[in-house]
């Protein structure tokens, strides 16, 4: 599989495009209280996910299954001159025993860290559009019984945007889309008899869609729920086939709002 040819050019244009959107919102006011309360917080949640990969041209089977995890993070949406400054960071972890096509198991673990920086532009309805730039890191550790498996790790770089909509009574819904580049990544194969080789993974895209819901419970304590769908591909190489990976999950937790 070839790298996504237009991705580098798209990322080079992301900064100017987002900057234009931000300047276009120069007349925007501060966020509505419900939106600000949802975005200015610290939170923790338990999660459940289902995912796996379909191996590529080397004819190997896929790996799939469900696994629990957790999500931790926080953010801020702060009024500025004609817009809102936005920043957020999140950590996502999941681990479980996945099934391997044809028999066997994969005791996999997943780690993902992402930081976002952007600006909020208020809508007349009280909603908020938030374009942002994003960067981070993710690691997928495959552990096959007997000492086999592989470790995939890569940096994340790109951008996205989200729309926050107050629904009334303090409840706020959000929807977000982002496209990131898996850049500077590498895979390392572990054989049953010891460490294997490693090779670079090139640059490929990751697409992610997120849905969220936030509701006040008592004072600054809020209840949150979310869902996401992720898709990305590791290119593979001479000893490890490319892996077209799809993952979906939900999370439920509590947040402490500082707004």
């Amino acid at each position: 599989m070839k790298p996504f040819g237009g991705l580098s050019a798209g990322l080079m244009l992301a900064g100017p495009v987002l900057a234009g959107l931000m300047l276009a919102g120069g007349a925007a006011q501060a966020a509505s209280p419900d939106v600000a309360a949802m975005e200015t917080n610290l939170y923790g949640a338990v999660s459940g996910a289902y995912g796996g990969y379909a191996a590529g041209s080397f004819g190997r089977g896929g790996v799939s299954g469900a696994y629990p995890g957790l999500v931790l993070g926080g953010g801020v949406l702060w009024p500025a001159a004609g817009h809102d400054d936005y920043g957020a960071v999140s950590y996502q972890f999941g681990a479980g025993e996945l099934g391997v096509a044809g028999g066997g198991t994969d005791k996999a673990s997943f780690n993902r860290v992402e930081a976002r920086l952007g600006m909020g532009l208020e809508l007349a309805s009280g909603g908020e559009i938030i374009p942002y730039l994003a960067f981070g890191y993710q690691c997928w550790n495959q552990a096959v019984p007997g000492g086999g498996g592989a470790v995939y790790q890569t940096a994340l770089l790109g951008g996205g945007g989200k729309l926050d909509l107050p629904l009334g009574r303090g409840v706020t819904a959000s929807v977000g889309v982002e496209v990131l580049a898996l850049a500077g990544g590498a895979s390392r194969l572990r054989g049953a008899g010891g460490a294997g080789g490693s090779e670079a993974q090139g640059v490929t895209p990751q697409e992610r869609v997120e849905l969220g819901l936030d509701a006040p419970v008592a004072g600054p304590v809020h209840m949150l729920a979310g869902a996401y769908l992720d898709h990305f591909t590791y290119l593979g190489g001479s000893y490890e086939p490319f892996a077209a990976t799809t993952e979906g999950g939900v999370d439920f937790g509590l947040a402490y709002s500082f707004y």
Side-chain angles (χ1 to χ4, degrees), residues 6 46 48 55 61 77-78 87 93 95 141 149 171 191 195 221 227 259:
V46 294
L77 191 65
W78 194 259
F93 170 80
N141 188 349
V171 179
V221 179
Y259 180 80

Side-chain angles (χ1 to χ4, degrees), residues 165-220:
L165 292 173
L167 302 181
R169 297 182 180 273
V171 179
T172 305
S174 68
V175 57
V177 178
E178 67 180 22
V179 178
L180 306 177
L182 277 62
S187 61
R188 185 178 76 254
L189 188 68
R190 293 196 306 266
S198 63
E199 57 191 347
Q201 283 294 312
V203 179
T204 52
Q206 179 179 85
E207 307 89 26
R208 187 177 179 96
V209 178
E210 298 177 342
L211 301 174
L213 193 66
D214 178 277
V217 176

